[in-house]
Amino acid sequence: MGVVIGVLRSPDPTERRVPLVPDVAKKLRAQGAELVMQRGASAGASIPEGDYPEVTWVDTEQEVTARANMLWTVGPLAPDTLKSLQPGTVVIGLLQPYGSAERAQALAGGRITSFAMELLPRISRAQSMDILSSQGACSGYQCVLIAAAFSPKFFPMLTYAAGTIRPARALVIGAGVAGLQAIATARRLGALVEGYDVRPETREQVESLGAKFVDTGVSAAGTGGYARELTEDEKRQQADKLGKAVAMADVLITTAAVPGKKAPLIITDAMVRGMKTGAVVVDMAAETGGNVAGTVPNQEVQVGGVRIIGPVNLPSNMPVSSSEMFAKNLFNFIGPFIKDGVLTLDDTDEVLTGATLTANGEVKHAGVKQVLGL
């Protein structure tokens, strides 16, 4: 049976991304795949349906799920959608695997083979498939633009007829993809930038972008490119030295996250209150609890003279670029396994097995089972 790839309109009214763009649709069709999309699926990304000549457009979700044996999705599928899927359907996308035991069990119970791109192994071969990195780059970029829009100071040094305005000082916490993109963007806008991460190996990356690395003497290098959790003593040492850098910043951007866990609290209320009046904080980790005390998701709050902004789903704010990146990541992940219109999954491939959430009626990923208590 040939592969039929379906795309549904997102049930989330704030989600503007689409997981399949015209260039990728053309490549899939050249490999023999059939494509079916629900009308309106690409509207949020400003892509007209006419730009997809390879796609069959249908009106309802049920028409997509009845025809498709593979679904590409930006976010987890709704419970009713999961119930409508045919056994054996393959689902690929950002599935929030750690978010719900009920959802994971529904996927397994429906005998759905699901690949959660959040679980992608952190290996060189998987870099071109890494949706967390591509969407993180969008988020890091957006954070700086938000900070610049709210900042009461110019980012760059400015010379005018009466003298010179000093550049803003920006501090970026977290030097993963999002943090490095934030550093690079703040530098391009002309700010004096410092970067901090608990992983000491990131120092070279931060400095290569023209920023100064804040050294607290704490190392939390973990496995798979992520940081481990700090001990209480390490947290106190970090807070003491980091607090001095925070107090000097006009703009603070935080991007630290631990997969499957609540975001680490790095910036305490005392640190926030020690910042300059008029300083701006943008907490990219707001959706998972926030790195900053006082952050409220999708809101702006005032703590003393400091504004704390907790944006959510930042990649959706730039859906043209983020959708293109997302779709290319998915194609690089599954495209090699589609030949002459037939999907042949290789259960010995480390990328596929590493990203498998459910298969053969079971939740397969050991880390997810541990976190969800399955």
Side-chain angles (χ1 to χ4, degrees):
M1 181 178 177
V3 63
V4 181
I5 299 173
V7 174
L8 301 174
R9 184 172 60 238
S10 174
D12 181 356
T14 68
E15 181 56 74
R16 298 170 61 198
R17 291 172 292 176
V18 61
L20 180 63
V21 298
D23 284 350
V24 172
K26 188 179 300 182
K27 292 178 181 178
L28 288 166
R29 195 69 190 93
Q31 291 182 314
E34 294 184 40
L35 308 169
V36 57
M37 295 177 68
Q38 184 182 1
R39 294 195 184 280
S42 65
S46 303
I47 306 175
E49 293 175 7
D51 286 2
Y52 293 89
E54 297 81 11
V55 167
T56 298
W57 290 89
V58 297
D59 293 321
T60 67
E61 177 180 296
Q62 290 72 25
E63 290 175 277
V64 175
T65 57
R67 298 179 59 169
N69 50 30
M70 178 188 292
L71 288 181
W72 285 17
T73 180
V74 171
L77 300 175
D80 288 345
T81 304
L82 289 178
K83 292 177 184 177
S84 71
L85 298 184
Q86 307 167 56
T89 299
V90 176
V91 176
I92 308 173
L94 292 177
L95 304 182
Q96 298 178 14
Y98 300 103
S100 168
E102 183 179 355
R103 186 166 59 232
Q105 290 172 322
L107 284 163
R111 301 195 69 81
I112 306 302
T113 298
S114 60
F115 297 102
M117 299 303 289
E118 297 96 326
L119 305 176
L120 195 74
R122 309 288 287 188
I123 58 176
S124 296
R125 185 165 72 86
Q127 287 181 353
S128 67
M129 316 165 191
D130 191 350
I131 285 178
L132 289 183
S133 291
S134 69
Q135 303 304 288
C138 296
S139 296
Y141 173 79
Q142 286 275 307
C143 280
V144 177
L145 299 187
I146 293 169
F150 279 86
S151 175
K153 298 181 67 172
F154 282 113
F155 264 44
M157 180 174 70
L158 185 73
T159 300
Y160 71 121
T164 300
I165 301 293
R166 293 177 59 82
R169 298 179 66 96
L171 172 62
V172 178
I173 306 294
V177 171
L180 292 173
Q181 182 61 247
I183 289 170
T185 304
R187 284 283 296 145
R188 291 188 192 106
L189 291 180
L192 293 174
V193 185
E194 291 184 302
Y196 171 70
D197 197 289
V198 289
R199 299 166 297 164
E201 65 269 22
T202 61
R203 181 183 198 127
E204 183 177 346
Q205 295 171 298
V206 168
E207 292 177 344
S208 73
L209 294 172
K212 179 183 176 183
F213 187 79
V214 177
D215 190 352
T216 64
V218 174
S219 171
T223 59
Y226 294 108
R228 64 171 174 82
E229 290 193 74
L230 299 178
T231 66
E232 290 304 313
D233 285 342
E234 287 172 329
K235 288 178 182 178
R236 281 191 288 271
Q237 182 179 343
Q238 173 188 256
D240 180 56
K241 294 192 176 180
L242 191 56
K244 296 174 183 177
V246 170
M248 296 293 293
D250 300 302
V251 165
L252 173 64
I253 295 169
T254 62
T255 69
V258 179
K261 297 183 180 180
K262 184 179 178 181
L265 180 66
I266 298 172
I267 307 301
T268 64
D269 181 70
M271 289 183 189
V272 173
R273 294 183 183 279
M275 295 181 75
K276 303 173 183 177
T277 298
V280 174
V281 178
V282 181
D283 189 347
M284 199 187 87
E287 287 178 271
T288 55
N291 298 143
V292 181
T295 294
V296 178
N298 207 30
Q299 291 188 32
E300 176 195 341
V301 297
Q302 193 95 11
V303 176
V306 179
R307 301 167 85 174
I308 304 176
I309 302 161
V312 298
N313 198 8
L314 285 163
S316 184
N317 291 338
M318 47 186 305
V320 174
S321 294
S322 59
S323 295
E324 180 180 352
M325 297 166 86
F326 196 106
K328 287 180 177 178
N329 289 147
L330 288 186
F331 178 77
N332 290 337
F333 176 77
I334 203 66
F337 304 98
I338 300 174
K339 290 184 172 59
D340 299 324
V342 177
L343 176 68
T344 305
L345 298 176
D346 180 359
D347 60 8
T348 67
D349 185 278
E350 63 180 327
V351 172
L352 284 185
T353 56
T356 300
L357 175 58
T358 60
N360 302 319
E362 301 177 44
V363 178
K364 291 288 189 179
H365 195 274
V368 171
K369 289 198 288 186
Q370 181 179 11
V371 170
L372 299 180
L374 299 176

